[in-house]
Amino acid sequence: MMWRVHSQGRLYDAGEDTVVYFDPYSGDTHLLSDFAGYVMQQFDNRPLSTEDLVLRLSRAIDSADIPDLEEALTSVLEELVLLDILKQD
């Protein structure tokens, strides 16, 4: 399954457990978890598969958390689709 962003948005670190994401495609601003913000940073104007994202994220995730990574990622991707930030191909 492939995922892509509608447009390259801007992330602003709120300095807490959340980041602010401005989506120029919709003009909306969203408050995202740090993890969701980190997922968004993985996109570089090209679609990525779930497997590509798991591979990229697993490099920065504590090894104890890797077994739960795909489930957490799937949940975040679905939420980002509902927010109209990501599109599923």
Side-chain angles (χ1 to χ4, degrees), residues 31-79:
L31 192 61
L32 304 176
S33 68
D34 279 340
F35 182 64
Y38 188 68
V39 169
M40 290 302 300
Q41 290 175 329
Q42 305 311 303
F43 290 91
D44 49 6
N45 287 328
R46 64 185 174 99
L48 294 171
S49 69
T50 303
E51 293 78 20
D52 291 335
L53 286 165
V54 167
L55 181 63
R56 287 179 180 213
L57 296 172
S58 65
R59 296 177 190 149
I61 301 294
D62 186 278
S63 60
D65 295 328
I66 289 178
D68 300 324
L69 177 59
E70 190 165 349
E71 183 179 331
L73 176 61
T74 300
S75 176
V76 165
L77 292 171
E78 290 171 354
E79 181 179 332

